[in-house]
């Protein structure tokens, strides 16, 4: 690409105006779920007895009766065809961090030489995609292709364009999970059962416990023309080189600032289409870094929330292109400024079956947020129980939780620019910390009260009193309590939320099960219930105390202190993945029936393989750009400087020429030295890749890539970024940070 073309692309990007968005005439509540087979549509299109059975499956976890599948498929097809649908697909989530689908038409032979539209229960419930061509960690060989996708009736089907999308799990012919949804559903079931058993200590009318998830999706937008002019963005999702802009986020003027018109139009279009697909978008705003933004929904049931996030990421990419943007979901697309995360707000809700005769409807489902304080001492004991057991889960498996959010891309983000550190700890706030310390050291087994939100008087007559939460926020905490839920801030922006949710829910199920067993043992020995609960909590508060940290997670002192506490402080991504195969992890996953050892070993193989491929692609792209863009441009500028120096000698006396050309001589030498180092480092980078590729074990190969290939890439980037500040701007072929990071 010539310098003129670069300037043209930049100029065109700054001239672009917002795309006009067609806004529905109805209110959002009226078109919400337009393309979703909702309960209202199920009631309309399904026979009454079939509808009742489906609701029992969705609400109460009843096993799906295959005998109703044909009736459900017929109703779905009728609704879908009325919406202009011609195809259907099983929509699943393989271990690629994306989604997969194969489209089939609603057509069959009619036996008379023609075609009829047909969709049977058999096709709805189960299909057979190729299992060998997806990441499987050696569970399937290329010649062993059979795998199954099976309908998940708890997540509603939806329409994209002309296709009916059916959320499914994906398993191997031999039964192992090859996706995220299957183990997520198992983990949700495990924690729901364990939490319900613990809830029985406090309420005798709990019918089920729901896992809640509210994700916050951060992302960058880049003009499509500028994106296309950066091969590194195009192929890796991040800039492998680029000197920081003189102005980026240091003025704090982008965060919550006025949204640019083009971005506002994109957001409006995205929200309309997301709402039509049943994704309950709630919040949108500018994030900290230039060109960085966030979208967050109202919290939902965990499985549905994960599906919606995966669907949204796909939708974002499509809508962005319609507005002349490319959306960047990479955790660290630009060096030196904020990266993007996907904060997972997680909590548990107990559903109580209230039979108060004063209610006009007789019985009613009453939700109780288990991580929120109550209004009575007994409810506060329940609150503390679930807080402490959450801390126990995080403490026992802090290394595993770290592995669940780690990736080659997220490793660039963690630990800087407001991203949480990679050491997993939990922030509780002063009030809750003091309460746990009091319970731990108390000699009595008396119940306690909790102060709720307090009023803060502002000394301005026109301003009403503020209601202040019982805990502050700590942006450096990976797992922070925020009043009625925990915010797992460490997951990256590009990943499937299910990875973190599988580990967290399984660990929580183990902690709650263990707690209930120990309380039951005390009660079996004659101890009253309240003292039995409090004494068990005291033991756990002491045990999990190392995971509690309210200070600065970025400090060097915390790294040393965390190591002293026995927390995982490892920084190597491939080594961190090993926690999935810790005996404590395997035992936890198997005891909760979430995954077995074979599935865990396979997933680790996939993680190591994906790490290697990610770094491998980046290294190849960096080598190509270095040799075909950076060095030619730099040496071309160097040639111009040499001609200038030679011209000086032709015009001025020798001493004067030497004095006047001293700066250019210095630049000539610096360019020569830096291009020589780049050329040598690229050769070393290639050799390091070749050596690593010969390592037979994928585990050891990943470690080799981390230890030998990544440092070479950092060294090359350093030299290139220095050259960018030396070479004439008109010759530099790649759009710079100052051009990429600001939308007009």
């Amino acid at each position: 690409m010539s310098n003129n073309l670069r300037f043209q692309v930049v100029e065109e990007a700054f001239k672009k105006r917002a795309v006009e968005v067609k806004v529905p005439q109805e209110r959002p509540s009226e078109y919400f779920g337009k393309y979703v087979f909702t309960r209202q549509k199920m009631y309309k299109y399904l026979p009454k007895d079939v509808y009742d059975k489906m609701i029992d499956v969705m609400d109460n976890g009843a096993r799906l009766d295959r005998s109703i599948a044909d009736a459900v498929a017929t109703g779905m097809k009728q609704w879908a065809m009325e919406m202009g649908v011609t195809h259907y697909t099983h929509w699943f989530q393989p271990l690629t961090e994306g989604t997969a689908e194969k489209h089939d038409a609603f057509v069959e032979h009619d036996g008379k030489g023609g075609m009829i539209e047909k969709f049977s229960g058999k096709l709805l419930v189960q299909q057979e995609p190729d299992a060998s061509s997806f990441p499987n960690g050696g569970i399937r060989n290329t010649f062993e292709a059979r795998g199954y996708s099976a309908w998940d009736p708890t997540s509603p089907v939806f329409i994209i364009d002309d296709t009916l999308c059916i959320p499914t799990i994906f398993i191997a012919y031999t039964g192992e999970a090859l996706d995220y949804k299957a183990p997520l559903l198992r983990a949700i079931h495990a924690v729901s059962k364990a939490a319900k058993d613990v809830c029985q200590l406090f309420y005798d009318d709990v019918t089920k416990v729901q896992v809640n998830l509210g994700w916050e999706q951060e992302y960058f937008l880049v003009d499509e023309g500028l994106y296309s002019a950066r091969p590194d963005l195009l192929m890796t999702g991040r800039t492998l080189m680029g000197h920081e802009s003189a102005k980026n986020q240091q003025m704090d003027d982008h965060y919550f600032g006025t949204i640019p018109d083009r971005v506002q139009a994109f957001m409006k279009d995205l929200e309309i289409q997301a709402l039509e697909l049943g994704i309950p978008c709630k919040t949108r705003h500018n994030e900290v870094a230039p060109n960085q933004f966030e979208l967050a929904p109202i919290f939902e049931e965990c499985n549905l929330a994960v599906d919606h996030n995966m669907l949204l990421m796909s939708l974002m990419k499509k809508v962005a292109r319609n507005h002349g943007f490319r959306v960047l979901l990479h955790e660290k697309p630009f060096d030196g400024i904020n990266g993007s995360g996907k904060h997972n707000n997680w909590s548990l809700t107990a559903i109580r079956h209230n039979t108060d005769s004063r209610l006009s409807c007789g019985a009613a489902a009453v939700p109780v947020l288990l991580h929120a304080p109550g209004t009575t001492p007994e409810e506060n004991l329940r609150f503390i129980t679930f807080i402490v057991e959450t801390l126990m889960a995080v403490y026992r498996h802090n290394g595993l939780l770290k592995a669940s959010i780690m990736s080659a891309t997220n490793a660039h983000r963690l630990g800087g620019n407001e991203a949480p550190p990679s050491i997993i700890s939990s922030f509780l706030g002063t009030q809750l910390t003091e309460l746990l310390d009091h319970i731990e050291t108390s000699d009595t087994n008396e119940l306690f009260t909790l102060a709720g939100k307090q009023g803060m008087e502002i000394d301005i007559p026109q301003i009403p009193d503020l209601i202040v939460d019982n805990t502050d926020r700590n942006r450096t905490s990976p797992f922070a309590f925020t009043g009625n839920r925990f915010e797992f801030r460490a997951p990256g922006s590009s990943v499937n939320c299910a990875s973190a949710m599988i580990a967290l829910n399984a660990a929580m199920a183990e902690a709650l099960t263990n707690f209930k067993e120990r309380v039951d043992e005390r009660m079996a020995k004659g101890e009253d219930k309240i003292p039995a609960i409090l004494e068990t909590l005291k033991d756990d508060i002491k045990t999990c105390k190392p995971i509690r940290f309210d200070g600065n997670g970025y400090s060097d002192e915390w790294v040393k202190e965390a190591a002293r506490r026995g927390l995982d402080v490892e920084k190597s991504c491939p080594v961190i993945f090993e926690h999935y195969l810790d005996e404590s992890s395997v035992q936890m996953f198997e005891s909760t029936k979430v995954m077995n050892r074979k599935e865990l070993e396979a997933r680790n193989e996939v993680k190591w393989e994906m790490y290697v491929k990610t770094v491998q692609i980046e290294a190849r792209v960096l080598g190509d750009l270095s040799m075909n863009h950076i060095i030619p441009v730099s040496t071309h500028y160097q040639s111009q400087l040499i001609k200038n120096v030679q011209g000086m000698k032709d015009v001025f006396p020798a001493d004067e020429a030497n004095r006047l050309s001293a700066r250019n001589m210095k630049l000539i030498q610096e360019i020569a030295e830096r291009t020589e180092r780049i050329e040598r480092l690229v050769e070393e980078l290639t050799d390091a890749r070749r050596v690593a590729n010969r390592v037979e074990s994928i585990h050891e190969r990943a470690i080799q890539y981390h230890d030998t290939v990544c440092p070479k890439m950092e060294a090359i980037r350093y030299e290139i970024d220095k050259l960018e500040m030396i070479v004439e701007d008109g010759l530099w072929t790649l759009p710079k940070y100052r051009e990429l990071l600001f939308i007009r």
Side-chain angles (χ1 to χ4, degrees), residues 208-212 299 347-351 367-370:
K208 71 173 184 178
V209 173
Q210 175 176 296
V211 183
N212 309 312
F299 78 88
S347 64
L348 301 174
T349 297
I351 307 300
V368 177
L369 199 56
L370 297 177

Side-chain angles (χ1 to χ4, degrees), residues 180-425:
Y180 283 107
K181 182 183 276 286
L184 176 64
L185 289 172
R186 295 173 191 157
I188 290 172
H189 175 73
V191 75
S192 298
K193 180 181 183 303
K196 180 181 176 181
D197 290 343
V198 172
C199 281
Q200 297 293 338
L201 295 170
F202 305 97
Y203 315 109
D204 58 6
D205 56 357
V206 173
T207 56
K208 71 173 184 178
V209 173
Q210 175 176 296
V211 183
N212 309 312
L213 172 62
W215 41 263
E216 303 170 22
Q217 180 68 60
E218 295 176 340
Y219 61 96
F220 281 83
L221 288 176
V222 175
D223 184 86
E224 189 164 27
L226 297 173
Y227 173 88
S228 299
R230 288 286 308 225
D232 49 354
L233 272 180
L234 189 67
M235 288 187 276
T236 72
R238 75 178 180 109
T239 54
L240 300 176
M241 62 194 72
H243 198 283
E244 67 179 52
S245 173
K247 179 184 183 297
N248 45 57
Q249 67 188 45
Q250 65 265 50
M251 300 298 291
D252 300 322
D253 55 344
H254 190 259
Y255 192 47
F256 284 13
T258 302
I259 300 171
D261 290 344
R262 284 183 65 198
V263 178
Q264 182 89 343
F266 158 76
M267 288 179 168
K268 186 186 299 183
D269 198 359
L270 175 64
E271 287 179 6
I272 290 170
Q273 295 190 45
L275 289 167
E276 289 177 336
L277 286 167
I279 304 172
C281 299
K282 176 73 173 178
T283 302
R284 66 187 184 203
H285 63 82
N286 286 5
E287 254 300 335
V288 174
N291 278 19
Q292 188 185 31
F293 309 95
E294 180 178 300
L295 180 152
I298 303 169
F299 78 88
E300 301 179 278
E301 184 277 325
C302 185
N303 176 47
L304 181 59
V306 169
D307 282 0
H308 278 165
N309 183 247
M310 297 303 295
L311 178 57
L312 179 90
M313 289 195 291
S314 177
L315 187 63
M316 289 172 77
K317 296 174 184 177
K318 175 183 175 182
V319 175
R321 298 194 69 172
N322 293 338
H323 289 259
F325 289 124
R326 287 298 185 105
V327 64
L328 304 181
L329 294 174
H330 193 289
E331 283 74 10
K332 196 72 168 180
F334 302 102
D335 194 39
I337 60 174
N338 266 32
S340 294
K342 181 146 46 192
H343 306 166
N344 283 200
N345 294 278
W346 169 87
S347 64
L348 301 174
T349 297
I351 307 300
R352 300 181 63 188
H353 190 69
N354 194 316
T355 56
D356 192 332
S357 60
R358 293 171 294 179
L359 295 173
S360 59
C361 58
V366 179
V368 177
L369 199 56
L370 297 177
H371 286 102
T375 57
T376 67
E378 289 78 8
E379 286 193 325
N380 286 330
L381 179 59
R382 176 268 305 158
F383 162 65
I384 291 298
T385 296
F386 278 89
I387 292 293
V388 171
E389 294 315 308
T390 301
L391 295 176
M392 284 292 289
V394 177
Y395 172 65
R396 284 174 174 158
H397 298 288
N398 75 95
L400 172 65
L401 288 172
K402 182 175 177 177
S404 76
I405 56 88
M406 187 54 68
S407 66
T409 53
N410 203 21
H412 295 291
R413 161 184 169 258
L414 294 175
N417 299 104
E418 297 194 20
S422 59
I423 302 170
I424 302 297
S425 65

Side-chain angles (χ1 to χ4, degrees), residues 540-570:
D540 288 351
I541 290 171
K542 293 175 184 176
T543 300
C544 68
K545 201 167 187 176
I547 205 68
R548 289 157 45 193
F549 179 66
D550 291 359
N552 180 10
Y554 289 163
S555 69
D556 293 335
E557 292 78 12
W558 168 233
V559 177
K560 297 175 183 177
E561 172 63 16
R564 188 189 67 79
R565 294 185 184 191
L567 304 182
D568 186 272
V569 297
E570 177 62 55

